[in-house]
């Protein structure tokens, strides 16, 4: 008599693929921290303003902003040429549509793509940070940096330099973070694909679009 065939018990999903994806992101971020070589948060504010030909009071003039835009191009992430259109559209949605800048001493609302290095920007709770910004003035300003460091608690941002690491110092607010409360003014020092988190944001968008289409790097 033939022995009864035993049914194979299906093995539970291990979740290894998601775990590996998360570990890869964390590794990439750690590598980025090690490779990052900027001093915009460390130099004096006077030297910083001289470097970007701007000021903490009036910002750039409109003519100066136009010159910088001509030099650097629009403030947007530009994926590789072969990237599918739907991925490019997703990356575009990572930016807010407009932000408030001060040019020639006057606050004006501009499209995000027109923000340039040296622009004096006004930030508040609920705003996505439009570029890499050095904080020059703050009133109880806090940002969500969980996508950068995994830190779940909102972090204070102020004009004080507190850490060599630009991810942790209080006087830097990087693209891909979100204002939670309070208000601040800051001067832009990186835009577009030159922003600190631009390479990681492009990689994350491609990875997470495959796993969870609703994910957005800078969702508020």
């Amino acid at each position: 008599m033939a022995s009864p065939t035993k049914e194979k018990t299906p093995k539970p999903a291990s979740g290894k693929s998601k775990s590996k994806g998360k570990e890869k992101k964390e590794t990439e971020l750690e590598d980025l921290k090690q490779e990052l070589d900027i001093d915009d948060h460390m130099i004096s504010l006077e030297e910083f303003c001289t470097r970007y030909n701007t000021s903490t009071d009036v910002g750039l003039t409109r003519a100066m902003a136009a010159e910088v835009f001509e030099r650097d191009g629009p403030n947007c992430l530009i994926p590789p040429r072969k990237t599918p259109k739907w991925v490019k559209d997703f990356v575009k949605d990572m930016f807010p549509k407009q932000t408030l800048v001060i040019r020639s001493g006057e606050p004006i609302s501009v499209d995000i793509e027109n923000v340039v290095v040296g622009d004096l920007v006004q930030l508040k709770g609920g705003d996505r940070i439009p570029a890499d910004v050095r904080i020059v003035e703050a009133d109880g300003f806090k940002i969500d940096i969980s996508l950068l460091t995994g830190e779940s608690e909102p972090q204070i941002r102020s004009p004080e330099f507190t850490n060599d690491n630009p991810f942790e110092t209080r006087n830097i607010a990087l693209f891909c973070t979100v204002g939670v409360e309070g208000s601040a003014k800051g001067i832009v020092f990186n835009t577009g694909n030159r922003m600190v988190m631009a390479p990681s944001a492009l990689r994350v968008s491609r990875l997470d679009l495959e796993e969870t289409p609703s994910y957005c790097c800078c969702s508020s």
Side-chain angles (χ1 to χ4, degrees):
M1 184 176 178
S3 300
T5 302
K6 292 184 178 180
E7 293 185 2
K8 293 183 179 180
T9 304
K11 294 182 180 180
S14 63
K16 286 184 178 180
S17 59
K18 289 185 178 181
S19 176
K20 287 182 179 179
K22 183 178 179 180
E23 290 175 1
K24 183 179 179 181
K25 290 180 205 174
E26 292 176 349
T27 300
E28 289 176 347
L29 181 57
E30 289 303 316
D31 290 343
L32 180 60
K33 287 182 180 180
Q34 296 296 324
E35 297 172 3
L36 202 56
D37 183 24
I38 64 172
D39 64 353
D40 292 286
H41 57 304
M42 303 171 68
I43 61 177
S44 70
L45 187 54
E46 181 180 3
E47 184 180 352
F48 178 85
C49 288
T50 299
R51 175 179 292 180
Y52 296 110
N53 198 23
T54 188
S55 79
T56 59
D57 298 319
V58 300
L60 300 173
T61 66
R62 295 170 191 262
M64 292 164 64
E67 289 180 7
V68 178
F69 183 88
E70 182 68 22
R71 182 193 71 195
D72 294 345
N75 177 36
C76 58
L77 294 181
I78 303 176
R81 182 175 297 177
K82 294 183 179 180
T83 303
K85 181 179 182 301
W86 59 278
V87 176
K88 292 181 179 179
D89 290 341
F90 177 86
V91 170
K92 185 185 295 186
D93 287 341
M94 295 166 71
F95 286 82
K97 303 304 180 186
Q98 291 190 318
T99 195
L100 199 62
V101 304
I102 297 173
R103 290 180 180 167
S104 299
E106 298 179 359
I108 58 172
S109 182
V110 301
D111 292 340
I112 287 300
E113 66 177 17
N114 294 324
V115 171
V116 300
V117 167
D119 260 333
L120 179 61
V121 296
Q122 292 188 329
L123 306 168
K124 64 181 186 306
D127 289 347
R128 297 180 187 183
I129 307 304
D132 292 345
V133 175
R134 173 164 169 168
I135 303 298
V136 298
E137 182 181 314
D139 182 12
F141 190 57
K142 293 184 180 181
I143 62 172
D144 178 358
I145 64 170
S146 57
L147 288 171
L148 302 187
T149 66
E151 175 60 58
S152 60
E153 293 296 320
Q155 299 297 297
I156 296 173
R157 286 298 178 262
S158 66
E160 290 77 33
F161 164 66
T162 58
N163 197 303
D164 289 348
N165 189 332
F167 289 86
E168 299 176 8
T169 184
R170 288 188 174 185
N171 64 340
I172 291 291
L174 297 174
F175 163 74
C176 225
T177 61
V178 182
V180 175
E181 62 182 74
S183 61
K185 290 182 181 178
I187 294 176
V188 174
F189 63 91
N190 274 331
T191 58
N193 280 24
R194 294 168 295 279
M195 294 184 296
V196 169
M197 288 304 297
S200 293
L202 291 171
R203 286 195 296 268
V204 166
S205 67
R206 288 196 295 269
L207 174 63
D208 285 328
L209 277 168
E210 296 175 359
E211 297 179 355
T212 53
S214 62
Y215 179 86
C216 180
C217 178
C218 296
S219 60
S220 55

